[in-house]
Amino acid sequence: MNWLEFVKVLVPLGWPIVTVIVTLLLKGEIFTFLRSILQRNFEFELPGGFKGKVDSAEQQKSADQNPAAKELTVAAPGPSQSPALNQIVSELQNALNAIDKPAREAALIGALAEARLRAGHEFVYNRIFGSQILCLKRLNEIGRATVDDVREFFKPYAEQFPQLYSKYGFDEWLAFLKSNGLIVQNDSLVEASDFGRSFLVYLTVMRLPENKPW
């Protein structure tokens, strides 16, 4: 069974299968990731009166926790205390049994890669600033820019939000994009990376708003 046939087997089960794969193979990293999100604080207000609070200085310091950059660690799965999870595991095992054994490894690696990419994009989206999304989009449109050009792009946001950017300046702002693999820098030139362009596609596919704070 080839990869397309494998996808057809998994489609009826949907994203729960991907969830199981990630949970079984990356559960430690995912739990750490989710916990880190819940511990963030900064204050902001969006149109319509919606307010929130996240620590912006700490928000973008966890690139090493990005699931897309994690080394694979595998623990032997055992029965869960969740009947629902056990049911999905059983469905996943049945789906894998429908695949010829020589093709199973490639099929699982492909599904895991897709799940890790999606988790990496979700990780970034929960931390990225709106100004960084706009910068990434601009780089994707023009191909590349100098660091000085990007600094000029950043200046209006620093002026508009001095309380934040007096403590979290351009170097940290740009470092988030680089450390999470959204852009690459060669000498004085920066451009969107493959991961960065994939992130922009992810925003469109998932219909996620780009007008995040700052």
Side-chain angles (χ1 to χ4, degrees), residues 41-165:
N41 302 304
F42 66 74
E43 292 182 354
F44 64 89
E45 182 173 354
L46 297 177
F50 179 78
K51 297 180 179 181
K53 186 176 183 180
V54 173
D55 185 345
S56 55
E58 296 297 325
Q59 179 199 15
Q60 303 197 330
K61 290 185 179 179
S62 301
D64 58 329
Q65 297 177 16
N66 191 324
K70 282 291 184 181
E71 294 182 0
L72 179 63
T73 57
V74 180
S80 168
Q81 294 183 354
S82 168
L85 181 59
N86 289 330
Q87 179 179 344
I88 296 174
V89 170
S90 178
E91 293 172 348
L92 175 60
Q93 290 172 337
N94 291 335
L96 291 177
N97 289 337
I99 304 172
D100 294 337
K101 287 186 178 180
R104 289 181 186 176
E105 181 177 352
L108 285 172
I109 290 175
L112 178 58
E114 183 178 350
R116 181 173 284 189
L117 180 64
R118 180 187 177 99
H121 290 335
E122 290 176 350
F123 178 93
V124 169
Y125 184 73
N126 277 283
R127 287 162 170 76
I128 197 168
F129 294 152
S131 57
Q132 291 165 321
I133 294 177
L134 294 176
C135 177
L136 184 60
K137 289 185 65 177
R138 182 58 179 160
L139 288 174
N140 187 50
E141 292 169 356
I142 65 177
R144 64 185 61 181
T146 66
V147 173
D148 288 339
D149 289 336
V150 177
R151 190 186 303 273
E152 289 300 315
F153 180 93
F154 167 80
K155 279 184 178 180
Y157 298 97
E159 295 171 357
Q160 186 175 359
F161 304 104
Q163 185 176 3
L164 167 64
Y165 288 121

Side-chain angles (χ1 to χ4, degrees), residues 16-58:
I17 283 185
V18 175
T19 302
V20 170
I21 292 174
V22 174
T23 300
L24 294 181
L25 300 182
L26 300 172
K27 59 184 179 180
E29 291 89 338
I30 294 297
F31 291 153
T32 299
F33 159 54
L34 292 176
R35 185 166 54 248
S36 70
I37 291 176
L38 296 176
Q39 293 174 346
R40 307 290 174 188
N41 302 304
F42 66 74
E43 292 182 354
F44 64 89
E45 182 173 354
L46 297 177
F50 179 78
K51 297 180 179 181
K53 186 176 183 180
V54 173
D55 185 345
S56 55
E58 296 297 325

